[in-house]
C-alpha cells in the first residue's frame, strides 16, 4: 500500500504541475495521502487549496481542523471545525466541543 500511495503522489504532483483540468480534485486526493502519512502541514495546505475551489465541503473543513489540532494550533483548528459543524458535519461536533468550547 505504501508504494501505491507513493506512486499516486507522483502522479498527482504531475497533474497539479501540468495545471490539468483535474488539478482541483488532485489537491484533495494528495491531501488525503498526506493526512494518512501524518504530514499535517502538507495536508492542511492542500485541503486549503481545495476549499478555495469548493468552499462548502464540510468533511474537508473537518480534516483541515484535525491537521491544525495535530499541529497544536487550536485557534485555527477551531475555526475549521466550527465551519464543519455549521455545514452539519456530525463527526466535527464532538471534536469542536471537546477542543473549542
Amino acid at each position: 500500500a505504501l508504494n501505491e500511495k507513493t506512486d499516486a503522489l507522483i502522479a498527482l504532483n504531475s497533474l497539479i504541475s501540468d495545471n490539468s483540468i483535474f488539478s482541483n480534485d488532485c489537491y484533495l486526493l494528495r491531501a488525503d495521502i498526506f493526512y494518512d502519512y501524518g504530514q499535517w502541514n502538507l495536508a492542511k495546505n492542500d485541503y486549503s487549496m481545495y476549499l478555495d475551489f469548493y468552499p462548502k465541503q464540510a468533511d474537508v473543513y473537518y480534516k483541515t481542523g484535525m491537521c491544525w489540532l495535530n499541529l497544536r494550533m487550536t485557534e485555527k483548528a477551531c475555526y475549521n471545525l466550527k465551519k464543519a459543524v455549521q455545514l452539519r458535519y456530525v463527526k466535527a461536533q464532538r471534536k469542536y466541543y471537546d477542543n473549542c468550547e
Side-chain angles (χ1 to χ4, degrees):
L2 184 61
N3 285 342
E4 290 173 7
K5 287 183 179 181
T6 302
D7 291 343
L9 278 174
I10 292 167
L12 291 168
N13 288 336
S14 176
L15 286 169
I16 290 169
S17 68
D18 291 345
N19 206 15
S20 155
I21 60 170
F22 303 110
S23 291
N24 300 344
D25 294 327
C26 291
Y27 286 114
L28 179 61
L29 295 170
R30 190 171 72 173
D32 284 341
I33 293 170
F34 289 143
Y35 190 92
D36 289 345
Y37 283 150
Q39 297 292 318
W40 310 121
N41 246 339
L42 296 171
K44 66 131 175 96
N45 290 343
D46 278 356
Y47 286 137
S48 292
M49 289 293 292
Y50 184 77
L51 287 168
D52 287 343
F53 298 103
Y54 306 104
K56 303 242 185 244
Q57 301 298 311
D59 59 323
V60 180
Y61 278 109
Y62 171 76
K63 289 179 180 178
T64 306
M66 295 306 297
C67 290
W68 284 115
L69 273 181
N70 283 301
L71 292 167
R72 293 181 170 81
M73 301 288 289
T74 307
E75 186 176 325
K76 292 180 180 191
C78 291
Y79 170 83
N80 284 278
L81 291 171
K82 184 176 183 178
K83 292 286 276 187
V85 169
Q86 290 170 338
L87 292 167
R88 305 194 191 304
Y89 194 66
V90 175
K91 194 173 178 180
Q93 291 175 351
R94 170 59 66 202
K95 285 290 182 186
Y96 180 77
Y97 292 113
D98 285 350
N99 293 283
C100 306
E101 287 289 308

